[in-house]
Amino acid sequence: MKAWRSASLQWRLTLSLLMVTGLVWGVVLVMTWVNTEHELNELLDAHLAQTAAVLAVQTSDAHDDDFTTADVLHKYQPRVAFQIWHDQELIARSAEAPLVPLAPLGQRGISDQWQAQKAWRVFATPGREDDVWVVVAELQSARNDILTAGLHSAIVPMILALPALALLIWAIIFQSLAPLRQLSQAVSKRQTDHRQALSEAVPVEVQPLVKALNRLFEKMVQQMDSERRFTADAAHELRTPIAAIRMQAQVARGKGLESDRDTALDSVLQGCDRATRLVAQLLQLARLDADENSPQKKTCEVVAETRASLADLGPQAVAKRQTLSLDAPDALLVPMPPGWVGVLVGNLVDNAQRYSPEGASIRVQWEPLPLPRLVVEDSGPGLNPVDLARLGDRFFRVPGNGAEGSGLGWSIVRRLAERYHFQVQLERSAELGGLRVVLTWPVA
């Protein structure tokens, strides 16, 4: 069975059609044989009955002497025999008829008998007098010869036509599978950086496969473009903190005063922290890109994750004397796998902390109805429309702001929105005056 499944589709179709055709032919031949034999027997039995009736009418008491026909009037005449019995005596018979009754005297109608080592089809009927019996018989082999000759004319052409039929079936299937062969050649010759979609001018049965392949190629191209951008941008972005760390380490090495070395080492630690955060965000983006084709249909309790994420950002808020507040119900479910809500909230609040001045207020709010909604707003300076349009581009930083960052936080938020189909709305906060971010989820 495994070998059959891995065999050529063309040969599988050809053999399957030939087997089905042969089976149908076999059934038709059996039915033809049975029906022909039945109709032939009916016809020849009628001839026997008609012959017996003629003989019965012609018999009389005047035929007291036994006689036997000797002249052969037809080549098939030896296959037919008759007997006329009177008072249990054979008074007339054909040359082919035996001297014993072909059928029990007194038994009317058609019957199959075995006499003289031959099979006979017999019809018996009384004559003009009750003591006269007319028996007409025909060799069963004669009927079989007629049946075989009739079926031979039907069977032989069908058998001879089978090779021609097999060749036609093979040619038709070969021609019908041409689009699949062309598609296979097009895919095998396709280069990894080829961006043109496959032609959908193919039969209807092949179109779903072509469309699926085009979608796959499109995703592959997008994935490769994303990896190229990611590699280039990451290499460019990592160069800055690494260069700063090296420079500060050289400064610390060359300073003689302990206070100067401490200042340089503090700068080294800050550069390490920045590089660590950058690498963590790069890993988050890489994880999102890798899981793009296998979305997890799960729900997450977001309030607990939000509290944990805000607790991690507490020291940063204390360092800048910023106020963090959370307004949320006791529990709330959104259609996202566990873990990503913490990443989402962490990036939004971290951006708000970095781009808001010291002493700013940052508020996080979860609203359960009518749709799950997350609101993060701050009392910072906000963004102009031009910067808002570019927000979410990888490594984009708001110009004129001295806050350290890579711009990856918003890129992660945008990717999560695309992945889990929640809406992102940016506006100015009416209460706090800074940026207000509203994320709205569909119904879980």
Side-chain angles (χ1 to χ4, degrees):
M1 180 61 69
K2 185 177 181 180
W4 171 255
R5 291 179 178 176
S6 60
S8 167
L9 180 60
Q10 180 172 329
W11 284 110
R12 286 172 58 184
L13 288 174
T14 302
L15 293 177
S16 299
L17 288 176
L18 286 177
M19 286 190 293
V20 171
T21 303
L23 179 62
V24 172
W25 277 8
V27 173
V28 171
L29 287 177
V30 171
M31 295 177 61
T32 302
W33 184 288
V34 172
N35 292 334
T36 304
E37 184 179 27
H38 174 74
E39 295 299 327
L40 181 62
N41 284 334
E42 291 287 339
L43 177 62
L44 296 181
D45 288 347
H47 290 169
L48 290 178
Q50 184 178 15
T51 302
V54 172
L55 292 175
V57 170
Q58 293 178 351
T59 58
S60 65
D61 292 337
H63 300 96
D64 291 333
D65 297 330
D66 182 17
F67 72 93
T68 302
T69 60
D71 297 335
V72 178
L73 304 178
H74 193 273
K75 64 179 181 177
Y76 289 149
Q77 184 174 337
R79 300 184 178 186
V80 182
F82 72 88
Q83 295 174 330
I84 299 177
W85 295 83
H86 180 248
D87 286 335
Q88 306 295 321
E89 290 187 21
L90 183 61
I91 62 173
R93 68 185 179 89
S94 61
E96 300 77 20
L99 298 177
V100 296
L102 286 169
L105 300 179
Q107 178 180 327
R108 295 190 178 193
I110 290 289
S111 63
D112 293 316
Q113 303 294 334
W114 182 267
Q115 293 293 345
Q117 298 182 347
K118 296 179 181 179
W120 298 86
R121 184 75 167 176
V122 181
F123 185 87
T125 185
R128 297 177 66 181
E129 292 84 12
D130 293 339
D131 55 356
V132 175
W133 276 90
V134 176
V135 181
V136 181
E138 184 178 33
L139 285 172
Q140 190 65 51
S141 60
R143 296 187 172 209
N144 292 338
D145 291 342
I146 298 174
L147 178 61
T148 302
L151 291 178
H152 184 270
S153 61
I155 295 175
V156 172
M158 294 177 67
I159 295 177
L160 294 178
L162 188 59
L165 179 62
L167 183 61
L168 288 174
I169 290 176
W170 181 87
I172 292 173
I173 294 177
F174 181 83
Q175 183 64 30
S176 300
L177 294 179
L180 285 179
R181 291 193 298 273
Q182 296 171 359
L183 177 62
S184 175
Q185 294 174 358
V187 174
S188 63
K189 295 178 180 179
R190 191 180 184 90
Q191 301 297 323
T192 55
D193 57 348
H194 195 86
R195 297 175 178 269
Q196 186 175 1
L198 295 172
S199 174
E200 296 185 5
V202 294
V204 177
E205 294 80 5
V206 187
Q207 286 181 2
L209 175 61
V210 173
K211 292 179 180 178
L213 287 173
N214 284 334
R215 289 194 296 269
L216 175 61
F217 294 150
E218 183 179 357
K219 290 180 180 179
M220 291 174 60
V221 169
Q222 293 175 354
Q223 186 73 18
M224 288 188 293
D225 290 343
S226 177
E227 290 177 357
R228 291 191 184 102
R229 291 195 305 269
F230 179 83
T231 303
D233 294 342
H236 172 75
E237 190 65 23
L238 282 172
R239 188 182 297 115
T240 301
I242 291 175
I245 292 172
R246 179 178 177 82
M247 181 184 68
Q248 294 298 332
Q250 291 175 340
V251 170
R253 186 177 182 181
K255 291 294 183 179
L257 297 176
E258 184 176 354
S259 59
D260 294 336
R261 286 199 302 270
D262 290 341
T263 302
L265 289 175
D266 289 341
S267 299
V268 170
L269 291 176
Q270 292 177 0
C272 290
D273 292 340
R274 180 183 176 189
T276 300
R277 172 174 171 75
L278 178 61
V279 171
Q281 289 182 321
L282 289 173
L283 290 176
Q284 290 173 358
L285 276 174
R287 180 183 168 193
L288 276 172
D289 291 338
D291 294 343
E292 182 177 3
N293 296 326
S294 57
Q296 305 174 23
K297 296 182 179 180
K298 296 181 180 179
T299 57
C300 171
E301 202 291 301
V302 298
V303 177
E305 281 203 27
T306 302
R307 294 183 187 277
S309 181
L310 293 181
D312 293 337
L313 295 170
Q316 184 175 332
V318 172
K320 295 186 69 172
R321 298 189 300 277
Q322 295 173 339
T323 302
L324 282 179
S325 63
L326 173 64
D327 182 12
D330 294 336
L332 178 63
L333 295 177
V334 298
M336 285 183 69
W340 284 121
V341 171
V343 172
L344 182 65
V345 173
N347 280 287
L348 289 175
V349 175
D350 179 74
N351 282 335
Q353 288 179 322
R354 290 178 181 276
Y355 292 98
S356 296
E358 293 189 3
S361 297
I362 302 171
R363 183 166 61 190
V364 180
Q365 183 178 7
W366 279 102
E367 300 177 359
L369 295 176
L371 294 175
R373 192 167 74 158
L374 170 65
V375 180
V376 178
E377 52 188 341
D378 59 67
S379 59
L383 295 174
N384 58 55
V386 177
D387 293 336
L388 277 177
R390 293 199 59 192
L391 200 60
D393 294 346
R394 290 180 177 179
F395 306 108
F396 168 73
R397 297 188 185 90
V398 178
N401 192 305
E404 295 182 351
S406 61
L408 289 178
W410 268 107
S411 180
I412 294 172
V413 173
R414 294 291 189 185
R415 287 299 312 279
L416 285 171
E418 294 174 2
R419 177 78 181 280
Y420 297 105
H421 311 293
F422 59 80
Q423 296 180 356
V424 180
Q425 181 179 354
L426 303 175
E427 57 190 18
R428 181 170 292 277
S429 173
E431 298 183 17
L432 301 181
L435 183 65
R436 185 172 188 263
V437 183
V438 182
L439 311 182
T440 305
W441 274 262
V443 179

